[in-house]
Amino acid sequence: MNDNLKDILFSGEEVLWEGKPRKVCYILKRFGKLLPAALIFLLFDGFFIFSMIASGGIGTMWPFMVVFFALHLFPVWLCVGKTISSCLEHKNIVYALTSRRIIGRSGIIGLDFEAVDYADISNVQVDVSVLERIFKVGTIIISTSSGNSLYLFSVSDPYSLYTKINKAFIDMKSDIHYPNAYRPDNNPGYNTRY
């Protein structure tokens, strides 16, 4: 178990699963929607820059052209920045399922923790992109009743993890709505450990 996770666990809380995202998939997923636009801008601007240099048509306009293309290539710089930040962040990302909640740790310099109690979960989804399917990973999206979401990006065996989360979620809801002490004798209930 990760040492930083030990610091935030409650007394008696057990870690049932721990993992982190697949690096390649995580990085590409973070800027994937920007990639087509960045490639179009790069090809378009690269063609014009090369044409002007080859024809010698820049002349005294070079300061203006440098500033113009530096600004015009903003989607490319955004992709480069997202790639660098995703690479730096990946080493600090850890996801964990415990006997009480789901925890996500992230951050580049400082460590940020986000937790969702099983009782607060309203929906759980699995999203597997084409790239994630190739690497046999997927993203779990956990929605809460308050409208927030926790994303477990590019985790291994996403369908098994989805099943574990759903089981814990259903067990917790059952214990809240139908505590073992109030269940009829002929229905032993789930006998969960949450």
Side-chain angles (χ1 to χ4, degrees):
M1 179 191 344
N2 191 293
D3 289 336
N4 291 318
L5 284 178
K6 288 179 187 176
D7 296 340
I8 66 162
L9 294 178
F10 298 124
S11 177
E13 187 175 14
E14 299 174 45
V15 174
L16 307 174
W17 174 89
E18 184 179 341
K20 57 188 303 126
R22 180 84 180 247
K23 189 172 189 175
V24 173
C25 294
Y26 175 75
I27 292 168
L28 290 175
K29 192 157 183 111
R30 296 288 295 179
F31 70 84
K33 292 178 182 172
L34 286 174
L35 191 58
L39 288 175
I40 290 169
F41 274 81
L42 186 61
L43 290 173
F44 185 76
D45 289 0
F47 172 76
F48 278 107
I49 292 168
F50 178 76
S51 298
M52 285 190 280
I53 291 172
S55 68
I58 292 183
T60 59
M61 295 282 291
W62 71 268
F64 170 76
M65 298 307 279
V66 168
V67 171
F68 173 78
F69 283 114
L71 293 174
H72 198 258
L73 287 169
F74 180 73
V76 175
W77 308 132
L78 196 59
C79 273
V80 169
K82 283 262 193 196
T83 302
I84 292 169
S85 68
S86 296
C87 286
L88 293 172
E89 185 179 41
H90 181 267
K91 67 179 181 170
N92 290 326
I93 296 176
V94 175
Y95 306 127
L97 269 63
T98 72
S99 53
R100 290 183 165 194
R101 57 196 170 146
I102 303 166
I103 301 170
R105 185 188 81 181
S106 62
I108 294 175
I109 297 171
L111 296 179
D112 305 322
F113 288 92
E114 188 175 2
V116 174
D117 293 336
Y118 291 121
D120 293 335
I121 294 174
S122 64
N123 191 27
V124 181
Q125 295 175 306
V126 178
D127 176 39
V128 180
S129 67
V130 174
L131 181 68
E132 288 177 324
R133 186 177 179 104
I134 292 167
F135 286 97
K136 296 183 174 130
V137 296
T139 298
I140 309 284
I141 305 164
I142 300 142
S143 303
T144 66
S145 51
S146 63
N148 297 326
S149 295
L150 175 63
Y151 290 80
L152 308 181
F153 290 105
S154 303
V155 292
S156 298
D157 201 9
Y159 298 109
S160 172
L161 185 58
Y162 169 81
T163 303
K164 287 178 186 177
I165 293 170
N166 263 330
K167 180 177 179 347
F169 161 64
I170 290 168
D171 287 349
M172 183 63 72
K173 290 284 187 182
S174 297
D175 276 353
I176 289 170
H177 294 295
Y178 305 102
N180 286 332
Y182 295 109
R183 292 181 185 160
D185 291 335
N186 61 358
N187 181 0
Y190 284 95
N191 292 323
T192 62
R193 58 184 171 154
Y194 305 105

